[in-house]
Amino acid sequence: MSVHGPLLCRLLMLLSLWIVPTPASGHPQQRPCRLTQRTALCNNSNLTSVPVGLPGSTEELQLNSNLIKTLQDDCLQYPSLATLSLACNHLEKLESNTFQHSKLLKSLNFANNNLYVSYQETGNALKTLPKLRSLDLSENTLDEEIAAVLLQNLTSLEYLNLSGNLLRRIDETSFGHLHLLKELDLQRNLLFEIDNAFDGTPKLQRLNLALNYLPCLTDFHMTQLVVLNASHNFIEWFISREDINDTFQIETLDLSHNKLLFFPFLPNTSRLRNLYLSYNRVSFYERLEDNVTFPETVEFYNLRNTTNITAKLWDDNLHGDISSLETLDLRGNQLWYFPQGFIRKMPSLSRLRLCTNCLESLNLTLEQFSGSLYELDVSNNRLKEIVADDVTLVTLGNLTYLNLSLNDLDCISSGLFLTLPSLRSVDLSYNNIGICLPEEAEASTGSGMDLKTTVSLRQLYLKGCNLGMIPPTAFSGLSLTHLDLSDNPMLSGQRSIQSLSSTLQHLGLGNTHIGDFDFSDFQNLKSLNISRNSLLRLPASILNLDLKLLDLRDNKLSTIPSAQANTLAPKLHTVFLTGNPFNCCQTEWFRTFETTKTIHVVGQSDMECTDLFQTHSILHSRLFLCQEENGESIFWYIILFASICVSLVGILIIVFLTLKPKVIHKSIKNKCFKPTSY
Ligand SMILES: *[C@@H]1O[C@H](CO)[C@@H](O)[C@H](O)[C@H]1NC(C)=O
Ligand SMILES: *[C@@H]1O[C@H](CO)[C@@H](O)[C@H](O)[C@H]1NC(C)=O
Ligand SMILES: *[C@@H]1O[C@H](CO)[C@@H](O)[C@H](O)[C@H]1NC(C)=O
Ligand SMILES: *[C@@H]1O[C@H](CO)[C@@H](O)[C@H](O)[C@H]1NC(C)=O
Ligand SMILES: *[C@@H]1O[C@H](CO)[C@@H](O)[C@H](O)[C@H]1NC(C)=O
Ligand SMILES: *[C@@H]1O[C@H](CO)[C@@H](O)[C@H](O)[C@H]1NC(C)=O
Ligand SMILES: *[C@@H]1O[C@H](CO)[C@@H](O)[C@H](O)[C@H]1NC(C)=O
Ligand SMILES: *[C@@H]1O[C@H](CO)[C@@H](O)[C@H](O)[C@H]1NC(C)=O
Ligand SMILES: *[C@@H]1O[C@H](CO)[C@@H](O)[C@H](O)[C@H]1NC(C)=O
Ligand SMILES: *[C@@H]1O[C@H](CO)[C@@H](O)[C@H](O)[C@H]1NC(C)=O
Ligand SMILES: *[C@@H]1O[C@H](CO)[C@@H](O)[C@H](O)[C@H]1NC(C)=O
């Protein structure tokens, strides 16, 4: 059960390498340890026991990633020791008097060991540290009984890490005596039930329950909690207690990757700012036609009792206090509408992520988003239209990132936003906006595509939009740094892009039939995608650019002339070249790229080339059969060799026949002229 153990250990090793030792004057330097002030760093030194003879004033002792199995009585002779770290050893036992000379210990890290083995004795040792504040017991194969023994008397603990163990069920006895606990990490256990487990920890502020098997969180009443992470469980219900007048201190609630069907029943009053609900099945139901037949009461069972919780499940207004929300992440759910006034209840909402839901329309006038909206992602829904009047658009003055990709929008809906004053990035990819653009443009200005866009716009994504003719002035006046027009095979009028030549850094023209496009003016271009364009040769105009990324996949290149390769190789960091019919006999460019350390040729093993006879992986240059540069070729050698062989054999046969005609004669006779009896 050490899923992340090795990684942690490696990290610790790295960390230990980072720390530069300052020679400790006066103290004799212990061989495997480096001393920096009052800290002894003995990480990763194959130690099997705690080193002796370190300065008596040592306050911190780091022994991570060693081979220590037991901490023996009296092994810690350092009365000032406050911090001891033994992560990633083979610790099985702490003898009862381990800490008798180190009573000031405040922080112990035993992450990634085997403390489940002799836990009774280890528990006795820990009992002697009533001042301990921080304890890391993560990744020690502990179940709840063992954990209880280890934690028996540690009433001063403020930080406890039990992640990556085998805890299944906890109740009020588990942590009931840890009255000062502020942070508890229980992620990566097997928890399926937490029965009032936190009633005795009134100071708990950060609780991590992620990656367990919890089926629900009901009767939530931890008013002091600030961060609760319950992501990656099987939670179907989150219900807060209603009869509490106090303001819940919760600021961050992560319920992502669960099985929620309903929007969580949040506390009546809270400071909740970040609510993560991505990848659940959340929907609203009041608008369902047949909702009357659904029950109103849910019964919850646990091992001890059954509770009935009556909630008006189908009432869309019972989601509690969302008035402080700033981030609401609802990606990957099943929302098809917002209850009346839902959006209006979040006056500070700044990030709303609704990617991959079932929204069919969005009426911004109706919903009344707040002016603080900064990021709106409604990509991958079924939006046919977005409605907004001018007044509404004026209020969206802070909207900066907008993602509308993968919907069914037409150009009128999607063009709405392009005048917003703060807009920097718009993704309209994979909508059907191309068809109506020229029409609308003609009707309005006669100058072509009517992207009456705001000057603040920097990134525009128009992939797969069925774009046709782009008028020459389409982008004039804009200072785009990113433009992606890929996957518009009918695209024409690429010259319009020239007006962006001084600002563009990323240009996507994959699958657009670009032909002989001249890139020489795009002096700031860093990334260029010209894949899937049937290019027979590399456009010479890109050689003068300072490109870092170049995508040339799926073209018709047979080679890259050496001069061009030599120019490109030192500049490029990433190049994509798969899917081209390269000629094995002209792959000098590949050696150039291969030997340039700063360039990453993506998918090298998938790159192929063809020689005189067959197709090879471009990496196997020894197999290529090619014509040499001086005109001769292995092929001709082979033919020459073959003909010499044939002649030799012929000569041999003739010689043989002349020398031994009789033998031949006989054998022919024997075989072909069998004596017949007539
Ligand atoms: C440890 O706690 C138990 C009760 O949980 C108590 O009886 C015992 O005296 C405590 N021992 C020490 C050493 O504090
Ligand atoms: C608890 O321990 C795990 C594994 O050792 C670590 O990844 C995690 O960050 C720790 N939790 C906290 C809150 O420090
Ligand atoms: C909650 O825990 C998961 C799993 O460890 C982690 O990926 C996620 O970032 C955490 N959420 C927050 C809000 O920190
Ligand atoms: C909390 O809200 C619910 C539903 O609106 C209400 O029934 C309950 O009385 C409220 N509780 C308090 C303490 O105000
Ligand atoms: C909640 O507060 C109101 C007014 O402040 C008070 O009348 C009511 O009794 C309180 N309810 C509880 C459960 O404390
Ligand atoms: C669904 O139920 C709620 C109350 O339970 C009711 O107000 C609403 O009108 C119902 N919706 C329909 C479409 O019947
Ligand atoms: C819960 O409600 C059901 C149906 O209303 C009832 O039969 C059951 O006795 C209730 N259980 C408790 C513990 O109240
Ligand atoms: C959008 O909402 C406004 C305000 O409620 C309403 O007047 C308008 O008719 C709605 N538009 C559509 C297309 O539903
Ligand atoms: C717009 O966003 C910025 C940065 O997030 C923020 O400081 C500012 O208060 C916001 N403006 C409004 C009107 O909410
Ligand atoms: C927009 O959303 C789509 C789908 O969710 C995503 O693939 C794309 O990267 C997003 N665009 C931007 C600019 O972040
Ligand atoms: C280049 O554009 C194509 C679409 O034609 C896309 O599939 C590919 O991922 C893009 N390349 C990069 C490096 O983003």
Side-chain angles (χ1 to χ4, degrees):
M1 277 308 292
S2 57
V3 189
H4 280 211
L7 178 67
L8 176 77
C9 298
R10 247 173 280 138
L11 278 180
L12 286 170
M13 268 183 235
L14 281 178
L15 277 179
S16 69
L17 291 179
W18 269 96
I19 300 168
V20 184
T22 56
S25 53
H27 299 302
Q29 188 137 351
Q30 199 67 24
R31 220 29 230 316
C33 301
R34 287 177 295 170
L35 303 178
T36 75
Q37 287 154 6
R38 286 163 195 262
T39 301
L41 300 169
C42 324
N43 299 323
N44 196 28
S45 305
N46 292 329
L47 295 174
T48 51
S49 62
V50 177
V52 286
L54 294 171
S57 60
T58 301
E59 289 175 5
E60 180 171 347
L61 180 50
Q62 300 263 354
L63 285 161
N64 303 312
S65 304
N66 282 296
L67 308 169
I68 300 174
K69 254 181 135 170
T70 308
L71 287 189
Q72 274 140 0
D73 288 342
D74 303 327
C75 71
L76 295 167
Q77 302 280 357
Y78 311 108
S80 312
L81 198 63
T83 302
L84 174 63
S85 187
L86 275 152
C88 308
N89 278 273
H90 302 296
L91 263 189
E92 294 178 352
K93 182 164 77 170
L94 275 57
E95 291 182 359
S96 308
N97 292 320
T98 299
F99 301 116
Q100 64 175 328
H101 303 298
S102 317
K103 294 277 184 207
L104 296 180
L105 267 172
K106 291 206 176 67
S107 168
L108 278 178
N109 182 355
F110 292 132
N112 219 299
N113 280 289
N114 299 318
L115 286 180
Y116 70 98
V117 179
S118 299
Y119 64 96
Q120 291 288 2
E121 198 163 356
T122 303
N124 287 337
L126 290 172
K127 242 190 229 176
T128 62
L129 292 175
K131 296 213 176 101
L132 198 63
R133 293 228 193 103
S134 161
L135 178 59
D136 190 338
L137 291 173
S138 58
E139 320 265 355
N140 268 289
T141 325
L142 312 176
D143 62 20
E144 55 270 23
E145 277 96 35
I146 299 179
V149 172
L150 294 179
L151 297 173
Q152 270 180 70
N153 291 61
L154 301 178
T155 47
S156 326
L157 274 190
E158 292 175 11
Y159 166 88
L160 175 59
N161 195 339
L162 283 169
S163 72
N165 281 296
L166 304 175
L167 273 56
R168 278 158 299 163
R169 211 190 146 265
I170 50 177
D171 57 27
E172 66 267 22
T173 61
S174 310
F175 310 112
H177 56 300
L178 308 181
H179 306 296
L180 301 178
L181 201 59
K182 286 188 186 146
E183 174 157 15
L184 177 58
D185 193 339
L186 288 169
Q187 64 177 316
R188 296 179 198 280
N189 275 281
L190 311 171
L191 288 174
F192 64 89
E193 191 171 301
I194 46 176
D195 197 3
N196 295 326
F198 309 109
D199 284 358
T201 53
K203 300 220 156 116
L204 196 58
Q205 292 188 337
R206 307 175 74 86
L207 175 59
N208 196 335
L209 295 169
L211 293 147
N212 278 288
Y213 295 90
L214 297 172
C216 58
L217 288 177
T218 58
D219 195 32
F220 175 68
H221 57 275
M222 301 171 71
T223 50
Q224 78 293 345
L225 203 62
V226 179
V227 179
L228 173 57
N229 191 341
S231 65
H232 298 272
N233 277 277
F234 294 85
I235 297 173
E236 293 185 349
W237 306 92
F238 181 90
I239 302 181
S240 313
R241 197 186 277 179
E242 277 191 346
D243 58 1
I244 294 181
N245 259 355
D246 297 343
T247 301
F248 282 65
Q249 300 301 314
I250 187 113
E251 284 181 10
T252 300
L253 176 57
D254 190 343
L255 292 169
S256 59
H257 297 270
N258 276 294
K259 299 195 177 305
L260 291 174
L261 285 168
F262 294 86
F263 196 85
F265 294 82
L266 298 169
N268 273 13
T269 48
S270 79
R271 302 182 199 281
L272 191 59
R273 283 164 46 193
N274 306 304
L275 180 55
Y276 302 104
L277 298 173
S278 55
Y279 306 104
N280 278 282
R281 301 169 190 164
V282 172
S283 184
F284 292 106
Y285 301 92
E286 199 169 301
R287 282 200 203 161
L288 281 182
E289 285 303 324
D290 50 357
N291 69 5
V292 274
T293 57
F294 291 135
E296 294 226 325
T297 305
V298 212
E299 248 179 287
F300 294 96
Y301 300 93
N302 60 23
L303 288 186
R304 278 203 258 151
N305 52 22
T306 313
T307 43
N308 271 352
I309 290 184
T310 310
K312 286 191 197 145
L313 295 177
W314 316 104
D315 186 342
D316 283 347
N317 290 314
L318 284 179
H319 28 65
D321 183 4
I322 51 174
S323 62
S324 309
L325 271 193
E326 288 167 14
T327 304
L328 177 55
D329 188 347
L330 278 161
R331 283 174 298 161
N333 279 288
Q334 296 177 0
L335 293 187
W336 54 289
Y337 74 97
F338 297 115
Q340 211 180 352
F342 180 76
I343 300 286
R344 226 175 305 151
K345 283 183 191 160
M346 299 180 277
S348 314
L349 190 64
S350 124
R351 291 166 202 273
L352 179 59
R353 302 189 182 123
L354 285 162
C355 158
T356 316
N357 275 279
C358 316
L359 295 174
E360 285 183 356
S361 70
L362 188 56
N363 186 342
L364 296 164
T365 309
L366 183 70
E367 307 295 354
Q368 295 184 8
F369 279 90
S370 89
S372 50
L373 192 65
Y374 177 81
E375 172 187 342
L376 177 61
D377 181 355
V378 280
S379 62
N380 200 13
N381 276 274
R382 300 169 191 163
L383 289 175
K384 291 201 176 58
E385 60 169 359
I386 294 187
V387 186
D389 60 18
D390 290 344
V391 182
T392 307
L393 288 175
V394 169
T395 61
L396 293 177
N398 230 17
L399 193 57
T400 306
Y401 288 94
L402 178 63
N403 196 337
L404 299 172
S405 69
L406 294 156
N407 280 292
D408 293 323
L409 296 173
D410 59 25
C411 66
I412 300 174
S413 269
S414 49
L416 265 183
F417 296 93
L418 293 172
T419 53
L420 293 175
S422 304
L423 203 60
R424 280 184 78 81
S425 166
V426 180
D427 194 339
L428 293 169
S429 302
Y430 305 107
N431 281 288
N432 202 13
I433 62 174
I435 295 161
C436 67
L437 279 172
E439 258 178 41
E440 196 208 4
E442 273 160 34
S444 55
T445 58
S447 69
M449 183 159 83
D450 191 18
L451 280 177
K452 263 191 276 160
T453 35
T454 161
V455 284
S456 64
L457 196 65
R458 292 290 174 275
Q459 310 188 350
L460 180 59
Y461 302 88
L462 290 167
K463 291 199 262 183
C465 283
N466 280 321
L467 295 180
M469 175 68 192
I470 304 183
T473 57
F475 302 110
S476 55
L478 292 180
S479 315
L480 295 186
T481 59
H482 290 58
L483 176 64
D484 206 327
L485 297 169
S486 295
D487 291 331
N488 287 296
M490 316 292 278
L491 194 72
S492 60
Q494 281 91 336
R495 258 183 306 135
S496 57
I497 306 169
Q498 292 289 357
S499 65
L500 299 169
S501 60
S502 60
T503 55
L504 267 191
Q505 292 167 13
H506 301 265
L507 178 56
L509 289 173
N511 189 18
T512 51
H513 292 122
I514 52 160
D516 293 334
F517 192 82
D518 183 6
F519 293 98
S520 39
D521 289 339
F522 292 79
Q523 286 302 324
N524 291 315
L525 211 57
K526 295 276 172 277
S527 153
L528 176 62
N529 188 345
I530 43 176
S531 61
R532 295 173 64 199
N533 274 306
S534 309
L535 297 175
L536 292 166
R537 61 186 70 85
L538 200 71
S541 57
I542 68 170
L543 295 173
N544 296 326
L545 306 178
D546 197 16
L547 283 181
K548 299 278 174 266
L549 182 146
L550 179 59
D551 191 342
L552 280 165
R553 273 177 286 187
D554 302 313
N555 277 296
K556 299 215 160 84
L557 305 179
S558 61
T559 185
I560 299 175
S562 293
Q564 299 193 343
N566 287 332
T567 315
L568 282 177
K571 299 184 199 168
L572 283 177
H573 292 174
T574 310
V575 64
F576 298 82
L577 286 161
T578 50
N580 281 291
F582 287 117
N583 182 348
C584 293
C585 304
Q586 297 172 356
T587 51
E588 204 186 315
W589 60 270
F590 184 70
R591 309 299 147 219
T592 309
F593 283 2
E594 217 180 12
T595 50
T596 309
K597 288 281 169 276
T598 49
I599 187 171
H600 174 43
V601 184
V602 181
Q604 286 187 31
S605 50
D606 295 335
M607 285 169 62
E608 291 181 336
C609 64
T610 312
D611 64 7
L612 289 166
F613 295 114
Q614 53 174 317
T615 301
H616 304 273
S617 162
I618 204 160
L619 296 171
H620 302 152
S621 58
R622 279 200 217 127
L623 303 175
F624 303 167
L625 285 174
C626 291
Q627 196 160 335
E628 298 285 320
E629 265 168 34
N630 60 12
E632 293 170 24
S633 95
I634 295 177
F635 179 68
W636 295 118
Y637 283 123
I638 291 173
I639 290 186
L640 192 62
F641 181 71
S643 49
I644 290 173
C645 287
V646 169
S647 332
L648 271 177
V649 170
I651 291 168
L652 276 176
I653 291 172
I654 291 167
V655 169
F656 186 71
L657 287 181
T658 18
L659 288 184
K660 301 249 178 159
K662 277 177 194 164
V663 182
I664 298 283
H665 203 87
K666 249 187 206 163
S667 73
I668 291 175
K669 238 184 181 172
N670 278 349
K671 271 198 176 159
C672 306
F673 306 101
K674 285 185 190 151
T676 46
S677 57
Y678 54 87

